Amino acid sequence: CARHAGPPDGGWGWMIVAGCFLVTICTRAVTRCISIFFVEFQAYFGQDYARTAWIHSIVDCATMLCAPLGSLISNHVSCQVGIMLGGLLASTGLIVSSFATSLEHLYLSLGVLTGLGFALCYSPAIAMVGKYFNKRKALAYGIAMSGSGIGTFILAPVVQLLIEQFSWRGALLILGGFVLNLCVCGALMRPIALKEDHKNAPEILERDSVHEAQKRDLKRMSICSPLIKAWSHECLCYCSWKEYDFLLMPGFMVLAVSVLFMAYGCSPLFVYLVPYALSVGVSHHQAAFLMSILGVIDIIGNITFGWLTDRRCLKKHRHFCYLFAVGMDGLCCLFLPVLKNFPLLVPFSFTFGYFDGAYVTLIPVVTADVVGTSSLSSALGVVYFLHAIPYLVSPPVAGWLVDTTGSYTGSFLLCGFSMIFSSMLLCFARLAKKFGRTHLQSLTSGTGTKQHNWTNGAIAYSVTAELDQKDAEFLHMDKTSYSNR
């Protein structure tokens, strides 16, 4: 385990970026390409939109729902072990899915098993990038997260070709072999120890610390074993709470609620873009090409937005860049129902893909700005966990609307308004915080003179100059009466 005073912003960090890049290809890009199987599954099993959409929903839900489990294994065992184990599970799920005989079979193998494997890989790999970079964090994340776009661009036509040549069963089998590359990615994740990880060491460990010789003596004495167990349990509970104390931060709470609405809005589009394109007369190859366009423009959004938000002029406004990108994706969804042919759907794929890449890059950056680097792995686990329920519910709800109304309009409008609300919620919260801070500064500066502060824990008490002046007058009157005596 390498030890550094701070993130090295280079060196082996670029290998971590390369590993995370491959992880996003094997997880998020493969998940997106499952939508290409949608029509094949629907035709083979003879089911409606809503039931077929559960496959993609369960994959996304399991990936995000089990994200804290990936963070837990990364924190307490090893990031390398977690990602390698996840690669084996995801590959097994895809291979078993190639022998499916029902949708329920696919729910368990392609949905639960593959999603669990992806969960063990995704959030730990992203958190590792944050530990190796600080000054160029957004750029590093832009490159790492661009794997999702590049993977979609390459895999979408390849998967369509594999389906035509080997049927959907053969395509899933080949994807299962491809996903085994996650084990190679895990081998690249060399752990790093930062000074920040130890600067807030639990006080209980300092209070109850003993020498190594004394520890060995205590272990030999069975009479002291209950004391040792109680001490260990107390330390473990304290350390576990310290990993998740960011949950009570107001900034993180607002971000979490915003993420819920954002996740609800973004998921159905990746499921229904290809079926919608086919429904308006676009050919199978052109529909797959739309996914490829979305993927390659996603790359540009990842890297350019990452580079731009690392500039000095925008570094302090990353939250607003994030909410702007989410809002623009929402507007794209609102306009999608009026786009009825391939030439109009191409600009949509360009625009939606660019801003999708932009906000995906900024999710870990904004999370790190809110909670700090030391809690980033656990916080990302929670953030991706919050994606789970929206990812599970939104595609089937969208499919139910399509089955009920016979149109995609209601589904896409619901997605658009959900993402716009997510953006507006975060924007209002940031503006309220900024206004409150400005108002507080104006009140404190209005006293006109020096202010004395005492800090007790998290609560600051202030005594203004008005009280100081009253005290001075009281002392002056006391002295006068004493001299008259």
Side-chain angles (χ1 to χ4, degrees):
C1 179
R3 294 186 178 273
H4 296 269
D9 274 294
W12 190 258
W14 294 115
M15 294 303 296
I16 301 296
V17 170
C20 187
F21 174 85
L22 292 173
V23 167
T24 54
I25 289 178
C26 295
T27 56
R28 303 312 299 157
V30 170
T31 301
R32 288 181 179 183
C33 289
I34 290 175
S35 64
I36 298 175
F37 291 91
F38 186 93
V39 177
E40 301 294 327
F41 291 152
Q42 190 180 26
Y44 186 87
F45 296 108
Q47 300 294 336
D48 57 18
Y49 278 84
R51 290 199 64 190
T52 309
W54 278 104
I55 300 171
H56 192 283
S57 296
I58 295 172
V59 176
D60 264 338
C61 178
T63 301
M64 301 307 175
L65 190 66
C66 299
L69 178 61
S71 299
L72 186 68
I73 294 175
S74 174
N75 291 340
H76 295 282
V77 182
S78 168
C79 182
Q80 296 169 318
V81 171
I83 294 176
M84 288 181 178
L85 177 61
L88 291 174
L89 290 175
S91 177
T92 302
L94 286 164
I95 292 172
V96 171
S97 298
S98 66
F99 301 99
T101 56
S102 66
L103 281 183
E104 289 74 17
H105 187 164
L106 288 173
Y107 293 163
L108 293 175
S109 58
L110 186 57
V112 176
L113 189 57
T114 301
L116 174 61
F118 288 164
L120 298 183
C121 301
Y122 191 56
S123 57
I126 295 173
M128 284 294 290
V129 176
K131 287 184 175 294
Y132 272 86
F133 287 88
N134 183 25
K135 295 179 180 178
R136 291 178 285 184
K137 183 182 291 183
L139 176 60
Y141 271 125
I143 297 172
M145 305 295 280
S146 67
S148 176
I150 292 176
T152 305
F153 174 70
I154 297 173
L155 288 178
V158 170
V159 167
Q160 182 64 45
L161 184 62
L162 290 174
I163 292 173
E164 293 175 359
Q165 295 294 322
F166 305 106
S167 80
W168 62 267
R169 295 185 185 275
L172 284 176
L173 190 63
I174 294 170
L175 278 180
F178 172 74
V179 166
L180 274 175
N181 284 294
L182 285 169
C183 297
V184 179
C185 301
L188 295 173
M189 299 295 168
R190 180 190 297 172
I192 182 174
L194 300 176
K195 186 177 180 180
E196 183 178 349
D197 296 335
H198 307 286
K199 69 179 182 180
N200 294 322
E203 295 177 3
I204 188 172
L205 297 179
E206 296 177 0
R207 187 178 69 242
D208 299 327
S209 61
V210 293
H211 297 294
E212 290 297 325
Q214 292 174 323
K215 289 181 182 179
R216 287 194 294 269
D217 292 337
L218 287 174
K219 289 178 181 177
R220 295 192 190 101
M221 299 170 61
S222 59
I223 192 172
C224 295
S225 59
L227 178 62
I228 297 173
K229 289 180 180 179
W231 179 83
S232 302
H233 178 71
E234 189 179 359
C235 293
L236 180 61
C237 292
Y238 188 89
C239 294
S240 299
W241 165 244
K242 289 296 289 182
E243 288 182 11
Y244 291 96
D245 59 355
F246 59 84
L247 292 173
L248 299 179
M249 295 173 59
F252 184 81
M253 291 180 181
V254 174
L255 179 64
V257 175
S258 175
V259 163
L260 287 173
F261 287 95
M262 179 272 293
Y264 183 91
C266 70
S267 181
L269 185 122
F270 292 101
V271 180
Y272 293 108
L273 179 60
V274 172
Y276 172 72
L278 295 174
S279 70
V280 296
V282 176
S283 68
H284 283 78
H285 285 286
Q286 286 178 329
F289 186 62
L290 288 174
M291 288 295 291
S292 296
I293 294 173
L294 193 150
V296 74
I297 300 302
D298 195 293
I299 306 163
I300 299 174
N302 286 143
I303 298 175
T304 59
F305 235 69
W307 180 84
L308 285 171
T309 51
D310 268 342
R311 301 305 95 196
R312 185 176 300 175
C313 58
L314 291 177
K315 200 165 187 175
K316 296 181 180 179
H317 306 289
R318 285 168 170 170
H319 275 80
F320 289 102
C321 292
Y322 166 78
L323 63 90
F324 173 75
V326 173
M328 288 301 296
D329 263 1
L331 286 176
C332 289
C333 290
L334 295 182
F335 283 104
L336 183 56
V338 301
L339 308 177
K340 300 287 187 180
N341 54 56
F342 182 71
L344 291 177
L345 288 172
V346 169
F348 166 82
S349 293
F350 270 88
T351 308
F352 186 90
Y354 181 82
F355 288 108
D356 178 74
Y359 79 74
V360 166
T361 295
L362 291 180
I363 287 175
V365 176
V366 169
T367 304
D369 289 345
V370 172
V371 305
T373 303
S374 60
S375 300
L376 179 58
S377 180
S378 300
L380 279 178
V382 174
V383 167
Y384 291 128
F385 170 82
L386 294 171
H387 285 65
I389 300 303
Y391 276 6
L392 179 66
V393 172
S394 57
V397 168
W400 176 78
L401 287 173
V402 174
D403 292 331
T404 304
T405 63
S407 170
Y408 289 87
T409 301
S411 301
F412 292 144
L413 290 179
L414 187 60
C415 293
F417 285 123
S418 179
M419 297 188 79
I420 290 174
F421 179 77
S422 170
S423 176
M424 292 176 64
L425 177 66
L426 193 58
C427 180
F428 288 144
R430 295 291 294 180
L431 290 176
K433 182 179 179 181
K434 186 176 181 180
F435 175 78
R437 188 183 301 153
T438 304
H439 184 62
L440 181 62
Q441 289 176 353
S442 64
L443 288 177
T444 55
S445 62
T447 59
T449 51
K450 192 166 101 175
Q451 185 177 14
H452 303 285
N453 294 315
W454 290 266
T455 301
N456 180 14
I459 306 173
Y461 298 92
S462 301
V463 179
T464 62
E466 294 176 358
L467 295 178
D468 291 340
Q469 187 176 0
K470 290 180 179 179
D471 290 340
E473 291 173 358
F474 178 81
L475 290 174
H476 178 70
M477 291 172 62
D478 194 30
K479 288 179 181 178
T480 305
S481 61
Y482 180 76
S483 60
N484 290 334
R485 269 189 260 168

